[in-house]
Amino acid sequence: MTSICFDVYRNEGAESGTTKDWAIGISPNQGLVIIKYGKTGGKLRTNILKTDNPQREMIERIKKKVAKGYYTVGTSTFNASENAINLDNVKRPNIIWSITGLLDKDAWLDRVAHLINSLTMLNLPELCSFEKGEVNISGKKIFDSGSLILGSNQKWSVGGVIESDNSTLPTLIILAVAKGLGTLSFCDDDNQPITVEYLGNECQFARPEYSLDFLDDMAIALELKKSPVNLFCSTIKDIKPLIQLNL
């Protein structure tokens, strides 16, 4: 049977400490929209939808799920007849970022030091530090002062990669240190642009690493607007990847 690539999303389950999965894909032969849903790790139910426009149907259904608080887990390829998602087969994209147009290297590094110091006042579940010009989270380097490049226009730029396994805090930090000082851009592993939208407070989303209240605390510490955050990256070819950030 032909394998199908599914976009996989997750949300809190009815019972405390549990989660539920929702996956959607298109059967390339019949043009059918396949939906799988159920408790994480358990047997999933399957819905098969016949529609004149499978791509549009898939996009609209993803939007509705994200609006209800589902967050992206990644993609997984498996047969339409299979009833469980193999998490070992789920792939989440890395996020490649860059900040350009920095006028003053020292001022930018001072801002980094100030924000990281403010952030570490919180009871973070992971070690976050800024030492010798290097930002580290849980032992992984996010960026360092040595990666700053002076361009011919006498403006500085810096960039790096946020790995997919835990991208919420690094992304917040990058947003915070770029705010008001440089132009920030994101792209995926295929060098496709990822746009950032500020959605206000109409929805509240969270990644599983942090509660909504703790995301509020981090946003305050990083001098961002007080609101939770959701990272959403679509894998649909016709839709550019998107990071939704309620800040």
Side-chain angles (χ1 to χ4, degrees):
M1 180 172 290
T2 303
S3 294
I4 299 172
C5 184
F6 286 81
D7 280 12
V8 184
Y9 295 83
R10 184 159 294 166
N11 200 358
E12 294 182 7
E15 301 176 12
S16 178
T18 65
T19 57
K20 53 186 177 181
D21 291 340
W22 182 85
I24 187 167
I26 297 175
S27 174
N29 296 332
Q30 295 86 8
L32 302 173
V33 176
I34 312 294
I35 295 175
K36 292 181 177 293
Y37 61 97
K39 187 176 179 179
T40 300
K43 185 177 180 180
L44 300 179
R45 299 179 181 179
T46 301
N47 281 347
I48 300 176
L49 307 175
K50 293 182 178 180
T51 174
D52 294 334
N53 194 326
Q55 287 284 348
R56 183 176 63 189
E57 183 73 24
M58 183 172 175
I59 292 167
E60 291 302 316
R61 288 183 177 267
I62 288 175
K63 287 181 179 178
K64 289 179 181 179
K65 284 297 179 183
V66 171
K68 290 180 179 179
Y70 279 76
Y71 53 87
T72 181
V73 176
T75 62
S76 182
T77 302
F78 55 101
N79 293 333
S81 61
E82 293 179 319
N83 292 320
I85 295 173
N86 178 8
L87 294 182
D88 292 335
N89 194 32
V90 173
K91 297 179 180 179
R92 286 169 54 181
N94 292 325
I95 299 171
I96 301 170
W97 62 273
S98 66
I99 303 172
T100 58
L102 297 169
L103 295 175
D104 190 319
K105 174 182 178 180
D106 291 334
W108 187 77
L109 290 174
D110 287 344
R111 177 172 176 80
V112 174
H114 165 69
L115 291 174
I116 297 299
N117 182 64
S118 179
L119 190 63
T120 53
M121 295 295 109
L122 302 176
N123 186 23
L124 290 172
E126 51 206 322
L127 183 62
C128 180
S129 66
F130 180 56
E131 298 178 355
K132 298 181 179 179
E134 184 172 295
V135 173
N136 281 278
I137 298 178
S138 297
K140 293 183 179 180
K141 184 173 70 174
I142 305 305
F143 58 80
D144 62 62
S145 58
S147 59
L148 282 156
I149 299 173
L150 182 62
S152 57
N153 57 358
Q154 297 304 301
K155 293 182 180 180
W156 296 86
S157 63
V158 63
V161 178
I162 300 173
E163 295 184 4
S164 61
D165 54 351
N166 183 1
S167 56
T168 302
L169 181 55
T171 302
L172 278 176
I173 291 173
I174 297 303
L175 280 168
V177 299
K179 186 178 178 183
L181 294 179
T183 301
L184 173 64
S185 63
F186 291 115
C187 67
D188 61 17
D189 291 325
D190 295 323
N191 203 33
Q192 294 299 309
I194 300 175
T195 59
V196 177
E197 289 191 357
Y198 299 88
L199 303 176
N201 291 312
E202 63 260 29
C203 297
Q204 290 189 333
F205 303 132
R207 289 287 299 273
E209 301 100 302
Y210 313 108
S211 68
L212 293 177
D213 289 340
F214 198 70
L215 283 168
D216 279 341
D217 293 339
M218 287 194 293
I220 293 172
L222 291 169
E223 300 177 4
L224 296 166
K225 292 181 180 180
K226 184 182 178 182
S227 179
V229 177
N230 177 63
L231 301 184
F232 167 74
C233 185
S234 173
T235 60
I236 303 173
K237 292 182 179 179
D238 294 340
I239 299 297
K240 289 184 178 180
L242 167 71
I243 294 182
Q244 284 182 337
L245 295 158
N246 285 355
L247 300 171

